[in-house]
Amino acid sequence: MRIMDISSHFSYIPCMENLIRISLKQARTVDAVAKARGLDAAAPVLNMTQPVISRTLAAAEALLGVTLFQRGWGGTEPTAWGDAILPRCSAAVHLIAKAEDDLEALGGVRPNLLAFLRWHHLDALAAVSLRGSASAASGQLGMTQPAVSRAISAVAHYTNQPLFRRRRNGLEATPVAGRLSLLRDELLRELASTDGFGLHAERGLFGRLAVGLLPFSGQDLVAKTLGILTGSNPELRLMAVPGSYAMLAQALLRGEIDCMMGILRAPPPFPGLREIFLYEESFTLVAHKNHPCHRYATSMIDLTNENWIVAPHGTPVRTYFENLFRTLGATPPAQTCEVLSFSDAEKVILHSNSIGMLSYSNRHLADLPNDLKKVDVDLPHGRVPIGLTVREIGDVGAILSRFEQILRSMLDG
């Protein structure tokens, strides 16, 4: 039986002062919070209170010198550093669970290791297994003999199985102790390093960028920019979050996203935000190239009875659309479909008998899909500013600065 041979193979590492070791409690907490996407949701899984979870994560972050979690769009989410350390923490949780399985098979009793096991338990166990006594182990560990004995007693309690047999020349490890010593070696490979797991290594930009996508405007530019960023900065965590202005503005103010891209309000309607102008687009009517409106329409009045694809209520596009008809003395026509994505709106227009009002740059208008065609109707005062909306207070940061730089380079190119 494989487990029975483990007790003769101990690889205790005496010099631990240069190693950074994430505690087993910290590893379990990181794994649970990431999976639950929140401290409150992780609390029943960990059987901890939210304040204890917060302190445990803070201790791990202080040990590693990085921020592991941040408030995000979908709840508490790992930062890029959290993403880097999470696989190790999850692997450690799996290793402990596997050891519980093996010990249950060995002794018929399933131990409770995951919630209670600590490094000093495993260190004491491995040292006593190697040295043959608690007194010899205490000198190697820099612990008192009673402290070593208490650690061994705690592990024996958690496993509910004997760990050592007394012999004339000292203590002999049982297969249970051998499996736990092997577990210690496995956990050290996952949770111990001399450099903090390289989280500070220079590998390009490192962190998160979450961009809120306002309906229609600039969405294709954001997609291209994120593609360039991730190609040259593989450690970046990138997110594109579509939504309404009010929803994204509140997320921006809470720090859940880093900026919004789309039509600027000039000025922003929420305090604490500022706008960065990038370029202009024009409100434009488009329809399938075979739509009859291309033959008869000379003004907006001619299109009153058509089906429309326009952005939702409260957006600049929708406001312009309704005001345009009111200026002409007509009631704004009912809208048959609302779509938040620019590419989806174009697809709906292509596969329907609807006319769409979208905003296009000159370059984007020149690259219309083959079966879409601009409706040749004048739209007065239809130019709109496009740009980024960011928090008014605080440093923009290297990642967002680089994002803006790439955006501008594509606009200039």
Side-chain angles (χ1 to χ4, degrees), residues 146-173:
V148 173
S149 297
R150 285 195 299 272
I152 296 298
S153 296
V155 178
H157 174 72
Y158 300 148
T159 61
N160 199 25
Q161 298 184 48
L163 300 177
F164 295 96
R165 302 184 186 94
R166 289 198 174 275
R167 299 287 187 253
R168 279 189 304 175
N169 59 345
L171 298 176
E172 178 185 65

Side-chain angles (χ1 to χ4, degrees), residues 30-334:
V30 168
D31 176 70
V33 171
K35 289 176 179 176
R37 300 191 69 82
L39 276 62
D40 290 339
V45 176
L46 295 167
N47 195 26
M48 299 180 193
T49 64
Q50 193 270 351
V52 172
I53 295 175
S54 295
R55 289 195 296 270
T56 302
L57 291 178
E61 292 174 335
L63 177 69
L64 297 171
V66 297
T67 300
L68 298 177
F69 288 92
Q70 62 194 355
R71 182 169 183 166
W73 183 254
T76 300
E77 60 187 29
T79 63
W81 295 279
D83 275 340
I85 204 69
L86 177 58
R88 293 176 178 270
C89 296
S90 298
V93 170
H94 175 75
L95 288 170
I96 295 173
K98 180 62 169 63
E100 290 178 339
D101 292 340
D102 290 346
L103 294 180
E104 182 179 16
L106 187 64
V109 178
R110 186 170 186 84
N112 187 8
L113 301 179
L114 189 59
F116 301 106
L117 197 62
R118 302 292 184 265
W119 279 122
H120 72 276
H121 297 145
L122 293 175
D123 290 344
L125 182 74
V128 172
S129 298
L130 185 65
R131 300 300 182 186
S133 71
S135 59
S138 67
Q140 181 170 309
L141 292 170
M143 298 169 61
T144 66
Q145 181 177 337
V148 173
S149 297
R150 285 195 299 272
I152 296 298
S153 296
V155 178
H157 174 72
Y158 300 148
T159 61
N160 199 25
Q161 298 184 48
L163 300 177
F164 295 96
R165 302 184 186 94
R166 289 198 174 275
R167 299 287 187 253
R168 279 189 304 175
N169 59 345
L171 298 176
E172 178 185 65
T174 66
V176 174
R179 180 63 182 90
L180 291 171
S181 292
L182 175 62
L183 173 62
R184 177 182 178 275
D185 291 345
E186 293 171 334
L187 291 173
L188 281 173
R189 284 191 287 270
E190 294 294 342
L191 300 179
S193 77
T194 57
D195 64 350
F197 307 97
L199 296 182
H200 298 282
E202 294 298 330
R203 292 171 290 185
L205 294 172
F206 202 98
R208 180 202 76 166
L209 178 68
V211 182
L213 301 179
L214 293 171
F216 301 143
S217 305
Q219 293 184 356
D220 61 324
L221 282 172
V222 171
K224 292 175 183 176
T225 302
L226 294 183
I228 293 171
L229 269 175
T230 194
S232 55
N233 300 277
E235 304 295 344
L236 275 181
R237 179 184 178 89
L238 302 174
M239 299 174 62
V241 182
S244 68
Y245 188 94
M247 180 172 63
L248 293 176
Q250 293 300 323
L252 179 57
L253 290 169
R254 290 192 299 264
E256 295 171 354
I257 61 175
D258 302 294
C259 67
M260 291 190 292
M261 176 73 176
I263 296 176
L264 302 179
R265 269 41 179 185
F270 294 92
L273 300 178
R274 67 180 178 90
E275 296 180 333
I276 302 172
F277 173 80
L278 293 175
Y279 69 103
E280 283 189 337
E281 291 183 351
S282 297
F283 292 136
T284 305
L285 303 183
V286 291
H288 192 281
K289 66 179 182 181
N290 296 324
H291 195 290
C293 70
H294 296 297
R295 298 191 298 272
Y296 72 80
T298 59
S299 71
M300 288 294 293
I301 290 295
D302 298 330
L303 303 174
T304 302
N305 295 321
E306 295 292 345
N307 294 326
W308 288 90
I309 306 293
V310 187
H313 287 287
T315 62
V317 180
R318 183 61 169 265
T319 300
Y320 177 84
F321 173 79
E322 293 178 346
N323 288 341
L324 190 59
F325 278 98
R326 291 191 182 102
T327 300
L328 297 172
T331 301

